[in-house]
Amino acid sequence: MLRFDPAFDTPTGMPYGTVNLRYGVPPGETPVTCTAGVGTFLVEFGTLSRLTGDPVFENTAIQALQALWDVRSDIGLVGNHIDVTTGRWTAIDSGIGAGVDSYFEYLVKGYILLGRPELMDMFQEYNKTINTYLKYDDWYMWANMKKGQVTMPVFQSLEAYWPGLQSLVGDVDSAMKSLHNYHQVWRQYGATPEFYNIPGSKAQEKREGYPLRPELVESAMYLYRATRDPFLLQLGRDVVEAINHITRTDCGYASIKDVRTHQLDNRMESFFLAETTKYLYLLFDPDNFIHNDGGHGDYVDTVNGRCVLDAGGYVFNTEAHPVDPAALYCCSTFKQDQEELQKLHTTLDFGSLLEDLEDFSHEKGKKEGILSFPTTGLDSSMDPTLDETDPRQWLQFDKWKKDKMTRSWNVEEKQHPAIFTCPAQPFYSRFSILGEMFVEK
């Protein structure tokens, strides 16, 4: 984290957009960055903290998210660019797309992955405001963050992630309605242009390209897992056929420069392979291990207990890299247990406690005439004979049982080392599966 620290060393806790890992923030670096650039660290940084036991990563990402929440407008909207040194908004158009998108995404996924309810509270508040000021007939437009008036009646191709995000919080009906709108745009051009003018039903001038973005099929994949609606497979088929027919070249798949003419650009973005093809594959592969609904998993026996891995519920970061929350839960829980035990060990004098208990038992036995029984010469598999009608003997019997259990544990056969050394995650503590939210109770 030390190499990232200079980026977050601002009065607001929001990071600069660029940091040199050797020299720090470059001289002359602009303090203005997009909202998504501030709010898209938690999945990765939270994962690092849970696996390493060092909270600094997660806390740093949470601080940046909280800083954005604190400077939202009076009506509850955020802009799309901000000065990280002052917390002043420099671009006040508010939407769910470019420059903002993964901020909302990481509020939901941060809650699911890390179990932080305050993040879902933030998202739900944003969602209410978005539905009030940005949503029109199942489209989402752009509006002034302070007053709420529409400033850009456009659909951006980046916004097609939103139905998938809605499915993760259980709002499947709204998600399907918006996805039908986006699919109609795809069928109109064989792609979704970067900007689509909603009132004019046409691609926006100078924003008519399609760089093979994944967001539409990402949402289709999530919603198909939630609904099994065959319409979503048809959507996926339309995407596959259009990409193969329009963009395939001798050495790859080219971005579309103009969706109206299907003129190609001489480039293929890395996210096409990392995300678009991955989500398409998962849409058409119902038995993929990623889709495990918790019905089975892999047990990993460790020196500290049993871990359950690959039981499903993977959380994708914004670049479609899956994180297994069972591994995070397993390791973070073990580290928390270790910290609690260490704290207890340093604050309590167990030797003195045992001596006091023995003295108390001895004195109490003298006064009340507790019958003693022999604890030597007994077979390790046998319990001493007790007079069950005399409950006063149980105090000494408990101590004998503890001694016996300690001896048994010390001679227990060693377990083989494993990848993780953490206890298992109970199934009921898992997050969102098939569009339903599961909360630990």
Side-chain angles (χ1 to χ4, degrees), residues 378-398:
L378 293 172
D379 185 270
S380 60
S381 63
M382 297 173 58
D383 289 346
T385 302
L386 293 177
D387 181 359
E388 296 183 359
T389 63
D390 188 353
R392 298 174 299 169
Q393 294 189 23
W394 287 99
L395 186 63
Q396 290 187 16
F397 174 65
D398 285 344

Side-chain angles (χ1 to χ4, degrees), residues 143-349:
N144 183 290
M145 65 172 287
K146 297 180 179 180
K147 298 182 178 180
Q149 298 107 327
V150 173
T151 57
M152 291 191 296
V154 299
F155 155 66
Q156 299 178 357
S157 60
L158 283 169
E159 296 172 6
Y161 81 98
W162 188 256
L165 194 63
Q166 288 178 304
S167 77
L168 291 178
V169 297
D171 192 4
V172 174
D173 290 341
S174 295
M176 289 294 291
K177 290 175 181 177
S178 293
L179 198 65
H180 275 283
N181 284 344
Y182 305 161
H183 182 228
Q184 289 307 309
V185 176
W186 184 278
R187 291 179 63 86
Q188 183 176 346
Y189 293 110
T192 48
E194 292 288 70
F195 282 26
Y196 180 81
N197 185 294
I198 298 171
S201 300
K202 61 181 181 180
Q204 187 84 8
E205 291 291 335
K206 299 183 180 180
R207 293 291 188 274
E208 59 280 298
Y210 170 65
L212 305 173
R213 292 199 183 277
E215 285 76 15
L216 184 67
V217 292
E218 174 187 1
S219 285
M221 187 275 289
Y222 278 118
L223 282 165
Y224 185 69
R225 301 305 305 169
T227 67
R228 302 289 179 167
D229 190 331
F231 153 73
L232 297 159
L233 296 180
Q234 182 59 53
L235 184 154
R237 180 174 180 175
D238 290 343
V239 172
V240 170
E241 290 179 347
I243 288 175
N244 268 320
H245 178 70
I246 299 170
T247 74
R248 187 171 183 173
T249 68
D250 291 339
C251 56
Y253 292 83
S255 297
I256 301 177
K257 191 171 185 178
D258 190 331
V259 298
R260 299 167 299 184
T261 64
H262 292 173
Q263 178 187 356
L264 300 181
D265 203 352
N266 188 25
R267 61 185 296 144
M268 182 179 77
E269 301 289 347
S270 61
F271 54 68
F272 172 66
L273 295 179
E275 300 182 68
T276 309
T277 56
K278 183 184 296 181
Y279 286 127
L280 281 169
Y281 187 92
L282 291 173
L283 173 63
F284 292 109
D285 184 14
D287 298 323
N288 194 279
F289 75 95
I290 289 288
H291 297 319
N292 186 355
D293 63 1
H296 60 88
D298 295 330
Y299 287 110
V300 179
D301 288 314
T302 74
V303 294
N304 298 298
R306 174 169 283 188
C307 260
V308 180
L309 302 178
D310 294 329
Y314 293 88
V315 175
F316 287 98
N317 78 345
T318 194
E319 303 299 331
H321 302 304
V323 180
D324 185 353
L328 270 61
Y329 184 94
C330 175
C331 289
S332 63
T333 299
F334 172 66
K335 289 179 172 63
Q336 291 169 7
D337 290 345
Q338 291 292 90
E339 290 171 1
E340 290 298 322
L341 287 172
Q342 182 63 33
K343 182 178 178 181
L344 188 65
H345 178 72
T346 56
T347 56
L348 291 179
D349 186 345

Side-chain angles (χ1 to χ4, degrees), residues 36-92:
V38 174
T40 312
F41 292 94
L42 185 58
V43 170
E44 294 81 2
F45 280 23
T47 296
L48 282 172
S49 283
R50 299 302 173 96
L51 292 180
T52 64
D54 187 347
V56 65
F57 305 102
E58 186 173 329
N59 290 343
T60 299
I62 288 290
Q63 182 181 0
L65 287 174
Q66 185 65 50
L68 284 174
W69 173 257
D70 291 342
V71 295
R72 68 196 187 284
S73 72
D74 291 340
I75 62 173
L77 293 174
V78 293
N80 62 86
H81 278 78
I82 194 168
D83 187 319
V84 300
T85 60
T86 65
R88 182 179 64 85
W89 292 102
T90 60
I92 61 173

